[in-house]
Amino acid sequence: HAHELIGRQEVQGLLDNLAKSYPKLVEELIPTIVSLGTVMRVLQNLLKEGVSIRDLRSILETMADWAPKTQDTDILTEYVRHALSRAISSELSVNGTVPVITLSQPAEDAIQKSIQHKETGSYLAIDPVIAQRILDSIGKVITMFEGTGRPTLLVSPQLRPYVRSLTERYYPALSIISHNEITPNLKVQSFGTVTLDAS
């Protein structure tokens, strides 16, 4: 529950600490490019998914690069995750291999078609029957994971935040990673595929 414990005060403390070593980075970024609140929400997003925020310098540098183009904290989180890919994938790897489950093409297409883009942002508006089929299939495939490490679902970068929003209530321990987050030195081994088949 680390994400629930980090508020503005804690983020300010982390930034003050970083400013001792990288004063220019912190000074240029906040509040000129991003607000303290935006940094806080990105850090909360990372912690919520078990991603370490120890490399605060990389996190802030990535935000400095992308924040002029978007202030959407979910999109910024995805860019930061890409920058932290080495840490994310090594955390999930077992002897140089990342054991994953994948989405079948029909499941991926169904999610893709259900993404609604509005001025206020994008969200997933998926048919409840299809959503339930996907969730049931994830449940079945996860059982194949026993003894192979943490269950990880590998999806395309564009879908990752939406798949996460679909699964987080039902499978909070399930890691959702994108192809961008697996470093070239690691192999991927699939343990099953999530389908749309009715059970």
Side-chain angles (χ1 to χ4, degrees):
H1 296 282
H3 66 282
E4 293 169 8
L5 304 174
I6 192 163
R8 279 180 165 74
Q9 199 63 47
E10 290 75 18
V11 173
Q12 190 60 62
L14 290 170
L15 294 173
D16 292 345
N17 218 8
L18 188 73
K20 290 172 192 164
S21 311
Y22 304 99
K24 227 46 205 140
L25 172 62
V26 177
E27 197 182 295
E28 283 176 15
L29 186 66
I30 295 150
T32 325
I33 301 175
V34 288
S35 67
L36 183 66
T38 301
V39 175
M40 179 186 77
R41 281 188 288 280
V42 169
L43 295 181
Q44 285 173 335
N45 284 349
L46 294 169
L47 289 170
K48 199 173 181 184
E49 293 197 56
V51 176
S52 168
I53 58 168
R54 201 171 290 130
D55 188 1
L56 196 56
R57 180 188 168 196
S58 294
I59 293 170
L60 292 185
E61 282 178 346
T62 305
M63 289 181 76
D65 290 342
W66 293 101
K69 299 180 182 73
T70 178
Q71 287 289 314
D72 184 314
T73 50
D74 290 338
I75 293 171
L76 287 173
T77 303
E78 294 307 307
Y79 285 125
V80 169
R81 285 181 64 99
H82 188 203
L84 299 176
S85 58
R86 188 175 298 282
I88 291 172
S89 53
S90 66
E91 179 81 15
L92 298 167
S93 68
V94 182
N95 302 325
T97 300
V98 182
V100 299
I101 52 183
T102 53
L103 290 176
S104 68
Q105 198 57 55
E108 200 162 289
D109 292 345
I111 294 168
Q112 184 74 61
K113 282 184 199 138
S114 307
I115 298 169
Q116 301 287 318
H117 301 285
K118 300 276 185 252
E119 275 177 33
T120 49
S122 302
Y123 62 93
L124 188 65
I126 192 167
D127 178 312
V129 174
I130 291 174
Q132 198 53 57
R133 284 184 183 175
I134 291 171
L135 291 167
D136 290 346
S137 183
I138 289 172
K140 281 185 197 148
V141 182
I142 282 177
T143 57
M144 301 176 194
F145 245 85
E146 282 160 16
T148 60
R150 190 168 161 193
T152 302
L153 178 57
L154 179 65
V155 297
S156 65
Q158 310 88 291
L159 293 189
R160 204 205 74 80
Y162 305 103
V163 174
R164 173 68 190 164
S165 70
L166 174 66
T167 59
E168 65 184 336
R169 234 175 79 205
Y170 305 93
Y171 303 107
L174 178 65
S175 295
I176 315 286
I177 63 167
S178 76
H179 301 278
N180 281 352
E181 293 161 12
I182 295 180
T183 48
N185 61 314
L186 294 172
K187 285 200 207 83
V188 171
Q189 183 181 5
S190 178
F191 275 78
T193 304
V194 174
T195 67
L196 279 182
D197 303 338
S199 43

